[in-house]
């Protein structure tokens, strides 16, 4: 979306005042292209984690981004530093689609989507209140940054069946873990190219590979080829850190007509 304009709408889209923490789901925050709220399942698990959903209800014709928004998009972001007894929040993403808006190709969703959020408590046996600053982009012919604070007291309605069902559905929508017959193998590349071999069930024409540019990596759109009956994805490395990280890896998702899997790639 290199040439797509980003509209800043001032107070109308700017940081909203914090909403009262009075439910295990927040009120909806409305914007031009849709609305967003935060939902939790209420009770923490034995490990001190509360599961929730960043619920993005897009209007018809609008889109939002995957974890990697391309070279000019806005990925969903969640800052919980203003919260009480919340140490961390991690977003998980269902499999995206490949979009081409005429300016470039990028990964995202053109339908309402619920992103799973895992909140980690700082002190597992103590009450928690979530004050989450949300930042995401939603797009039609233009992209609009949506910025607001969503507040939730997970303990205020911990047995809400609708909230629990939404969180469970977001788990179900996530890609499965990659495995030998449905996943990727990294092949030799070079400093400017990531090359992977894909194994998957279903129609080869329906398969696609998404890799997230993180830790100062930036990737172009994968190209497809076939070698010895295997589907090969070659991904341009547009930018990379001066020093290759030695911890963690890059998130990827492989989709097919039979579903989707995800995993971590070693840093190229």
């Amino acid at each position: 979306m290199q040439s797509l304009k980003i509209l800043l709408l001032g107070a109308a889209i700017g940081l909203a005042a914090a909403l009262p923490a009075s439910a295990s789901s927040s009120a909806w925050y409305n914007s031009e292209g849709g609305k967003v709220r935060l939902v939790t399942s209420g009770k923490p698990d034995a490990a001190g984690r509360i599961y929730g959903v960043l619920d993005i209800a897009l209007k018809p014709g609008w889109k939002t981004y995957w974890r990697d928004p391309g070279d000019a998009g806005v990925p969903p972001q969640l800052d919980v530093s203003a919260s009480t007894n919340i140490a961390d929040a991690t977003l998980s993403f269902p499999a995206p689609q490949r979009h081409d808006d005429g300016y470039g190709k990028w990964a995202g969703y053109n339908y309402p989507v619920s992103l799973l959020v895992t909140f980690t408590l700082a002190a597992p046996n103590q009450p928690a209140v979530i004050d989450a600053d949300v930042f995401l982009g939603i797009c039609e012919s233009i992209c609009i940054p949506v910025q607001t604070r969503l507040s939730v007291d997970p303990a205020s309605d911990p047995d809400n069946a609708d909230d629990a069902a939404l969180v469970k559905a977001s788990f179900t929508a996530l890609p499965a873990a990659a495995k030998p017959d449905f996943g990727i193998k990294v092949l030799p590349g070079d400093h400017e190219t990531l090359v992977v071999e894909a194994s998957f069930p279903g129609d080869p024409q329906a398969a696609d590979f998404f890799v997230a540019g993180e830790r100062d990596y930036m990737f172009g759109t994968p190209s497809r080829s076939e070698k010895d009956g295997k589907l090969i994805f070659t991904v341009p490395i547009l930018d990379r850190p001066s020093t290759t990280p030695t911890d963690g890896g890059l998130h990827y998702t492989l989709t097919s007509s039979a579903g989707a899997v995800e995993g971590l790639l070693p840093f190229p």
Side-chain angles (χ1 to χ4, degrees):
M1 309 192 71
Q2 180 72 34
S3 303
L4 207 57
K5 293 183 179 179
I6 301 293
L7 281 189
L8 298 174
L9 299 185
I13 298 294
L15 185 64
L19 297 169
S22 59
S24 59
S25 62
S26 74
W28 287 101
Y29 177 79
N30 293 288
S31 72
E32 182 178 347
K35 56 186 180 179
V36 60
R37 64 173 177 161
L38 190 62
V39 176
T40 74
S41 58
K43 300 175 182 177
D45 65 11
R49 294 170 300 204
I50 294 174
Y51 293 99
V53 164
L54 183 62
D55 199 14
I56 305 169
L58 296 170
K59 293 180 180 178
W62 289 76
K63 307 175 186 71
T64 194
Y65 296 98
W66 185 55
R67 64 169 75 241
D68 185 328
D71 60 359
V74 181
Q77 299 168 54
L78 206 63
D79 180 355
V80 293
S81 58
S83 301
T84 301
N85 196 31
I86 300 292
D88 188 37
T90 303
L91 286 166
S92 299
F93 294 79
Q97 303 165 322
R98 186 83 56 192
H99 295 276
D100 187 345
D101 56 27
Y103 301 101
K105 295 181 179 180
W106 51 280
Y109 313 94
N110 61 356
Y111 50 84
V113 63
S114 297
L115 307 181
L116 182 72
V117 190
T118 304
F119 298 97
T120 302
L121 301 186
N125 298 319
Q126 299 299 316
V129 174
I130 300 167
D131 288 306
D133 292 320
V134 176
F135 187 53
L136 68 152
I138 57 175
C139 308
E140 192 186 36
S141 57
I142 56 172
C143 274
I144 297 174
V146 174
Q147 188 173 5
T148 187
R149 175 172 288 185
L150 302 176
S151 297
V152 179
D153 179 359
S156 65
D157 189 14
D159 299 312
N160 187 298
D162 290 339
D163 291 350
L166 183 60
V167 173
K168 183 178 180 179
S170 72
F171 265 110
T172 303
L174 294 179
K179 49 188 179 180
D181 61 346
F182 195 176
I184 61 92
K185 179 174 70 175
V186 179
L187 300 180
D190 55 40
H191 195 72
E192 297 180 349
T193 308
L194 169 67
V195 184
V196 301
E197 175 186 294
S199 299
F200 53 89
D203 179 8
Q205 295 304 314
D208 206 349
F209 174 68
F210 303 87
V211 59
E214 301 165 312
R215 305 285 289 273
D216 294 328
Y217 281 91
M218 180 180 292
F219 297 96
T221 303
S223 61
R224 304 159 58 99
S225 61
E226 188 175 315
K227 181 179 180 181
D228 299 328
K230 291 288 189 178
L231 180 60
I232 307 298
F233 289 98
T234 302
V235 189
I237 303 174
L238 305 180
D239 200 3
R240 60 186 304 140
S242 56
T243 303
T244 302
T246 57
D247 61 308
L250 297 168
H251 289 93
Y252 79 87
T253 298
L254 176 65
T255 62
S256 82
S257 58
V261 295
E262 64 182 2
L264 283 179
L265 289 175
F267 294 106

